[in-house]
Amino acid sequence: MKKIDIDIRTISPMFSGRGDNSFSLTPQSVRGVLRFWFRAVLPRVVNIVDNKGNPKNKGEDCEWNYKLLKDIESYIFGSTEMKSPFDVIVKFDIKDTSDNTGTFLTNGNNYALYGQKNKYYLKENSKINIKFIIKRNINGLDKVLFYLLNLTSYLGGFGAKTRKGFGSFEIIKHDNFEIKNHIKSIINCLEIYLKELIEDMKINYIEKTGIFKDEIIRNNFFNLNNISYDIQEFTFSPTFPTLINNKYSSLNSYFSFDTFLELYDYLYKPDPQAKNLNYENSLNLNIGMYIKLKKILRGKYILENQKIKLNTDLSQDSFRKAIYAIKDHKKPSIKFDQSFLGLPINYKIGKDHFNGLNSNKYTLSNTDGRKASQMFIKTYIENGKYKYRITLIKSKITNGKTFRNGEKINDIKFNQKRTEIDVKGNENAFKIMKLLKTLKMIEEGGK
């Protein structure tokens, strides 16, 4: 039995993902987050692209080898069929939880706190102790767990709203591991130690030792004699976020902030009243950067001459175009670029907000249920100041095929009660990153 003892410190407030309003960080939550990032890294180590026996198959003619992915994941994290080789123990001081709820934390600006504004949280600069108790001798497992935690600290966090900058943390104490401070270095360590772990697993599989003494487990497991480290090129969007080459990119802020609240307002300051805006009014200082991005993706705002302005071409506003399409019973081609930031999106309009339309509610969704944002916003501290890191990780917005004969197909729905139309989604992470870099250049002085 081996123990890994790690202390982390929160950088931004951490909310629980549980249903009640109290704060808790459970071992299951830690384990779940590490599973998520494990799935993101594994396709860099073993080939999980199934070309169905035809090497000419590429792109959406191929499928994911979910059997291989699931079995390696179960070997490390456990499943209903096999016990996990490690336990997790989490400790924090209950005195570090907040006296007030989230709505007080952000001075009433609840834009990025949907579902959390009435919840208590673990405050910034709180220490959490995480212990991994390794019960089964597996080569590389301790290093895999540590660098998955290192990756989590670099790109995300624990708890709810981690893709909005909450729940961020830094590792402050660890057992003889070298913390890596760049994503490529972290991934490189994970590639090395995952391969070491898989080779150890393969030996056990071939020799029928360890858990593979159990014939039922071995017979139901992926045939590890067929495992390949020859990674096929991904020419399609992965079904889930994956840190493979050309499917992710990051952007660090140049601005720094004295407090987390200042950073939060910079990203999420609410939209001003439309009556105060006009085409010549630059929006540079009035609303949060994240909200500007959503409005530009929607087509309501445009970038023009290094300024962000209202778009006078109303036909480019995807939401406006969709609500009138439903009113007029039409089915035009409409693309919702903002779908990249997660589904469903709920819209609400008041009376007289749009000519000829009454108060109503609309939803943009896919047929597969909820789809999380492909944008990960991480809060970090540099030289005593708060900064943000945005990472885009490309994945499908639906589980089905999104292209037919090379053309984007209508893969999501826009509806108002029982009336709906098919519209197009957006998986183009490179377009979003280009837009983000332009926004950053405008807002942060050309840096």
Side-chain angles (χ1 to χ4, degrees), residues 218-375:
R218 189 177 186 279
N219 291 338
N220 289 328
F221 209 83
F222 179 87
N223 186 347
L224 294 178
N225 291 303
N226 297 329
I227 201 166
S228 171
Y229 299 113
D230 182 17
I231 309 300
Q232 291 190 31
E233 181 182 356
F234 285 73
T235 58
F236 56 97
S237 296
T239 305
F240 52 85
T242 309
L243 293 170
I244 51 182
N245 293 334
N246 302 319
K247 300 300 181 185
Y248 75 95
S249 55
S250 292
L251 177 73
N252 291 346
S253 65
Y254 174 75
F255 275 175
S256 57
F257 306 86
D258 291 329
T259 66
F260 171 74
L261 183 57
E262 287 181 13
L263 183 151
Y264 179 88
D265 280 343
Y266 173 78
L267 293 172
Y268 305 115
K269 187 177 180 181
D271 199 349
Q273 294 294 318
K275 65 182 180 182
N276 297 328
L277 304 178
N278 57 65
Y279 179 68
E280 293 303 324
N281 177 26
S282 171
L283 307 178
N284 287 2
L285 301 177
N286 292 343
I287 61 175
M289 180 180 176
Y290 181 87
I291 299 176
K292 291 175 188 175
L293 175 67
K294 290 192 73 171
K295 300 293 185 181
I296 293 170
L297 290 174
R298 168 179 158 178
K300 182 177 179 179
Y301 298 163
I302 57 171
L303 293 173
E304 185 179 89
N305 299 324
Q306 299 300 301
K307 290 186 178 181
I308 304 165
K309 299 179 178 181
L310 283 172
N311 190 352
T312 56
D313 185 355
L314 300 181
S315 67
Q316 294 183 14
D317 186 332
S318 57
F319 172 67
R320 186 182 188 280
K321 193 173 181 179
I323 60 177
Y324 280 109
I326 284 183
K327 173 182 177 294
D328 298 332
H329 304 286
K330 295 181 178 179
K331 295 183 178 181
S333 177
I334 305 173
K335 185 178 181 183
F336 276 81
D337 282 331
Q338 60 268 45
S339 61
F340 184 91
L341 300 176
L343 295 171
I345 301 175
N346 296 313
Y347 298 93
K348 182 178 180 180
I349 65 171
K351 187 178 180 181
D352 299 326
H353 281 187
F354 292 87
N355 185 36
L357 294 175
N358 294 321
S359 301
N360 229 320
K361 296 179 181 180
Y362 302 85
T363 301
L364 181 71
S365 61
N366 65 18
T367 57
D368 305 315
R370 184 174 178 80
K371 176 64 179 180
S373 173
Q374 299 175 59
M375 177 183 291

Side-chain angles (χ1 to χ4, degrees), residues 113-135:
L113 276 179
Y114 182 80
Q116 305 297 316
K117 65 179 183 178
N118 296 320
K119 292 188 175 185
Y120 297 90
Y121 53 90
L122 193 66
K123 294 180 287 189
E124 301 166 52
N125 204 35
S126 298
K127 188 174 80 171
I128 302 171
N129 178 256
I130 299 175
K131 289 185 177 67
F132 297 111
I133 312 298
I134 298 177
K135 303 176 293 183

Side-chain angles (χ1 to χ4, degrees), residues 37-289:
W37 291 113
F38 164 81
R39 292 171 190 162
V41 173
L42 185 65
R44 297 182 62 99
V45 181
V46 297
N47 179 46
I48 64 167
V49 177
D50 183 358
N51 60 19
K52 306 176 189 177
N54 185 351
K56 294 183 179 180
N57 281 345
K58 294 186 179 298
E60 297 214 359
D61 292 323
C62 299
E63 295 178 351
W64 287 84
N65 192 331
Y66 287 107
K67 173 66 175 170
L68 174 60
L69 176 68
K70 176 179 177 294
D71 284 353
I72 297 178
E73 180 182 320
S74 298
Y75 184 82
I76 297 174
F77 291 96
S79 66
T80 55
E81 289 79 26
M82 65 183 79
K83 293 182 179 180
S84 170
F86 69 93
D87 290 331
V88 183
I89 300 173
V90 180
K91 292 183 179 180
F92 62 92
D93 193 336
I94 194 68
K95 294 179 182 178
D96 289 333
T97 56
S98 63
D99 296 323
N100 294 313
T101 57
T103 194
F104 292 94
L105 167 70
T106 57
N107 294 333
N109 175 10
N110 299 321
Y111 186 88
L113 276 179
Y114 182 80
Q116 305 297 316
K117 65 179 183 178
N118 296 320
K119 292 188 175 185
Y120 297 90
Y121 53 90
L122 193 66
K123 294 180 287 189
E124 301 166 52
N125 204 35
S126 298
K127 188 174 80 171
I128 302 171
N129 178 256
I130 299 175
K131 289 185 177 67
F132 297 111
I133 312 298
I134 298 177
K135 303 176 293 183
R136 198 165 73 229
N137 185 25
I138 298 177
N139 286 343
L141 179 57
D142 56 340
K143 299 178 184 68
V144 167
L145 292 175
F146 177 80
Y147 285 109
L148 284 174
L149 188 66
N150 194 175
L151 182 63
T152 304
S153 73
Y154 188 87
L155 292 179
F158 290 128
K161 300 299 177 183
T162 57
R163 300 189 196 205
K164 293 289 197 297
F166 289 97
S168 296
F169 66 88
E170 60 181 343
I171 300 172
I172 57 174
K173 192 197 76 154
H174 51 88
D175 290 339
N176 301 317
F177 295 99
E178 182 182 356
I179 297 175
K180 302 296 182 181
N181 296 310
H182 192 276
I183 187 169
K184 290 185 178 179
S185 300
I186 302 171
I187 289 175
N188 182 61
C189 287
L190 283 167
E191 288 175 336
I192 292 170
Y193 298 124
L194 274 170
K195 190 170 182 179
E196 179 182 316
L197 184 152
I198 292 168
E199 282 298 298
D200 181 76
M201 175 180 65
K202 186 176 178 180
I203 291 171
N204 286 331
Y205 178 85
I206 293 171
E207 297 181 353
K208 299 183 180 181
T209 55
I211 66 166
F212 297 114
K213 291 178 182 178
D214 187 322
E215 285 293 326
I216 295 177
I217 291 177
R218 189 177 186 279
N219 291 338
N220 289 328
F221 209 83
F222 179 87
N223 186 347
L224 294 178
N225 291 303
N226 297 329
I227 201 166
S228 171
Y229 299 113
D230 182 17
I231 309 300
Q232 291 190 31
E233 181 182 356
F234 285 73
T235 58
F236 56 97
S237 296
T239 305
F240 52 85
T242 309
L243 293 170
I244 51 182
N245 293 334
N246 302 319
K247 300 300 181 185
Y248 75 95
S249 55
S250 292
L251 177 73
N252 291 346
S253 65
Y254 174 75
F255 275 175
S256 57
F257 306 86
D258 291 329
T259 66
F260 171 74
L261 183 57
E262 287 181 13
L263 183 151
Y264 179 88
D265 280 343
Y266 173 78
L267 293 172
Y268 305 115
K269 187 177 180 181
D271 199 349
Q273 294 294 318
K275 65 182 180 182
N276 297 328
L277 304 178
N278 57 65
Y279 179 68
E280 293 303 324
N281 177 26
S282 171
L283 307 178
N284 287 2
L285 301 177
N286 292 343
I287 61 175
M289 180 180 176

